[in-house]
Amino acid sequence: MTPDLVVVGAGFFGLTVAERIAEEHGLKVLVVDRRHHVGGNAYSEVEAQTGIEVHRYGAHLFHTSNERVWEYVNRFTSFTDYEHRVYTTHRGEVFPMPINLGTINQFFRSAHGPQAARDLLLEQAAELGGKRPENLDEQGISLVGRPLYEAFIREYTAKQWQTDPKDLPASIISRLPVRYTYDNRYFSDTHEGLPTDGYTRWIERMADHKNIEVRLDVDFFDESQPVNKKNVVGNVPVVYTGPVDRYFDFAEGDLSWRTLDFEEEVLQVGDFQGTSVMNYADADVPYTRIHEFRHFHPERDYPKDTTVIVREFSRFAEKTDEPYYPISTAADRERLLAYRDLAAGEKDVFFGGRLGTYQYLDMHMAIGSALSMVDNQLTQTYGSA
């Protein structure tokens, strides 16, 4: 295959671009990925012992209010009616999240109506007396008051960042959602659900096009194989969705990320926690949450006597780790501006996706951004369909 476009990365952003260029423009697209599978961090597979579908890089929940994205993804998969609900264990008691009227009344052993609960939190959030928050601790208190912040956010955040919130900038949390109703749905988008046949099958359908070739276990920076940066850039247009600092050989320094570690266990019980995701807010529990994947698809005929759980741990990423969430310190933002300047000088190289832009993107955001790139940048390169 002699490609008209090379896409580096077989996640949602890369394969959305590939599918649209192949379908709308009739051009040949070569997609390469250094992993052994398509789907990026959305990759899922069946756990061998239980037959339960597991999201290998943490739980992925699809939701969107973008009608164009919703119409597009439904070309490749149908969705279940799953609605995501999260619970948090704090001092041996389980509370619904995000903070809502049920959480407030359970925590304070009260029966407040919406206005009384709002007044209570406003009173508690006024503790700083109008002082401008100087760190995450103070920001959290100013948003929801000390009791709820210290119960549900402070220690959980410390585990996520491996840093005392007093040493984290206030800008990390601009707001904390509080609902003054008993609605404990995690998302409030127009559309929500999980792909009926799983994420991997969805992604495979996107790649199943006569004009698309996917090559796995291909490192774009490995010059011992033909599809590498040196051979490709300048000869064929490239959509690059890998880490932007890696593309430029870290010339402006490393961008910092958090990563996740996962500890999987098969248990000889039919149901371990009764819900798909349980957060653990207390510092004496080393993990941030436990996923129990059988609950993502209650419509499936999973075994009644075994289940699979995955404990999730958060830490700062080393260079060899899989990057998940941009930390975006002031130094990172300065480096990112320098990398954007370098990227602007790369002819016919288009940077996209979570890693290529150094910003966290939910799946629907990655797909929407890819559709926009096709519309606004690649169509200019290739002409209209």
Side-chain angles (χ1 to χ4, degrees):
M1 178 188 191
T2 302
D4 300 298
L5 173 69
V6 171
V7 174
V8 181
F12 272 117
F13 189 98
L15 281 175
T16 298
V17 169
E19 191 278 332
R20 288 292 79 202
I21 292 297
E23 179 66 17
E24 288 186 346
H25 296 271
L27 300 174
K28 296 187 181 300
V29 184
L30 175 60
V31 181
V32 298
D33 198 292
R34 63 179 176 79
R35 294 175 174 173
H36 72 279
H37 59 75
V38 296
N41 282 4
Y43 172 70
S44 64
E45 65 179 354
V46 171
E47 194 281 322
Q49 185 175 340
T50 62
I52 295 172
E53 180 189 359
V54 172
H55 303 174
R56 285 297 173 203
Y57 301 92
H60 281 66
L61 300 313
F62 192 81
H63 56 98
T64 187
S65 295
N66 185 319
E67 293 300 332
R68 185 187 183 194
V69 168
W70 183 243
E71 186 278 328
Y72 178 72
V73 300
N74 274 272
R75 300 178 191 181
F76 308 101
T77 180
S78 58
F79 288 85
T80 69
D81 59 0
Y82 176 85
E83 290 183 341
H84 193 47
R85 287 174 166 80
V86 172
Y87 297 86
T88 290
T89 295
H90 168 61
R91 294 183 180 176
E93 190 171 351
V94 175
F95 297 83
M97 289 286 121
I99 295 170
N100 60 70
L101 196 54
T103 318
I104 294 167
N105 280 329
Q106 181 181 348
F107 183 80
F108 291 108
R109 299 297 190 263
S110 59
H112 292 309
Q115 189 57 52
R118 187 178 284 107
D119 292 343
L120 173 64
L121 265 60
L122 283 173
E123 178 184 349
Q124 293 175 345
E127 175 184 326
L128 299 181
K131 173 190 174 186
R132 181 187 180 91
E134 297 179 359
N135 54 51
L136 190 148
D137 240 12
E138 293 182 349
Q139 176 78 333
I141 292 168
S142 73
L143 291 172
V144 297
R146 183 180 295 276
L148 292 176
Y149 167 72
E150 290 189 345
F152 300 118
I153 299 158
R154 189 183 198 286
E155 294 179 4
Y156 188 87
T157 300
K159 287 193 290 186
Q160 281 187 312
W161 290 89
Q162 293 185 302
T163 304
D164 190 315
K166 291 180 180 177
D167 299 324
L168 291 170
S171 59
I172 288 179
I173 50 170
S174 59
R175 61 182 295 271
L176 288 170
V178 177
R179 295 179 185 157
Y180 295 99
T181 69
Y182 289 96
D183 179 7
N184 71 328
R185 292 175 303 163
Y186 197 74
F187 304 114
S188 56
D189 285 288
T190 306
H191 307 290
E192 179 181 359
L194 292 172
T196 306
D197 300 321
Y199 281 102
T200 297
R201 188 71 192 98
W202 170 9
I203 282 277
E204 288 173 343
R205 290 184 184 125
M206 293 178 69
D208 186 17
H209 192 286
K210 64 180 181 180
N211 290 336
I212 297 177
E213 178 186 347
V214 177
R215 298 183 192 175
L216 302 175
D217 296 307
V218 172
D219 184 344
F220 188 61
F221 302 100
D222 178 6
E223 295 183 4
S224 70
Q225 55 83 30
V227 189
N228 64 71
K229 178 184 173 183
K230 183 177 180 181
N231 286 350
V232 173
V233 173
N235 295 315
V236 182
V238 172
V239 170
Y240 175 79
T241 72
V244 61
D245 52 356
R246 175 67 183 92
Y247 180 91
F248 294 105
D249 199 23
F250 308 101
E252 301 294 337
D254 293 11
L255 295 171
S256 54
W257 295 81
R258 285 190 296 121
T259 191
L260 300 176
D261 295 318
F262 302 100
E263 179 182 277
E264 181 177 308
E265 185 177 3
V266 173
L267 302 175
Q268 303 306 308
V269 295
D271 190 345
F272 171 72
Q273 63 187 19
T275 191
S276 51
V277 178
M278 178 68 70
N279 290 350
Y280 288 83
D282 301 331
D284 58 354
V285 179
Y287 40 85
T288 55
R289 52 187 175 176
I290 294 180
H291 308 277
E292 186 171 13
F293 286 99
R294 71 179 306 114
H295 294 291
F296 287 123
H297 287 280
E299 78 282 1
R300 293 181 180 175
D301 187 22
Y302 284 149
K304 303 294 190 294
D305 56 352
T306 58
T307 193
V308 57
I309 64 170
V310 175
R311 300 176 185 89
E312 182 176 307
F313 302 79
S314 177
R315 61 180 173 82
F316 289 110
E318 303 293 336
K319 192 169 263 186
T320 57
D321 287 322
E322 190 64 46
Y324 280 81
Y325 305 106
I327 294 177
S328 198
T329 63
D332 287 320
R333 293 192 291 273
E334 288 184 14
R335 294 187 187 105
L336 180 59
L337 290 174
Y339 281 123
R340 285 177 177 169
D341 288 341
L342 292 175
E346 291 287 288
K347 180 176 172 52
D348 286 339
V349 179
F350 305 89
F351 294 81
R354 177 177 54 93
L355 304 179
T357 60
Y358 192 65
Q359 58 182 325
Y360 182 74
L361 298 174
D362 282 333
M363 289 177 286
H364 67 287
M365 297 167 66
I367 293 167
S369 178
L371 293 173
S372 294
M373 176 181 281
V374 173
D375 291 345
N376 301 322
Q377 294 176 271
L378 295 176
T379 294
Q380 294 178 22
T381 299
Y382 293 106
S384 58

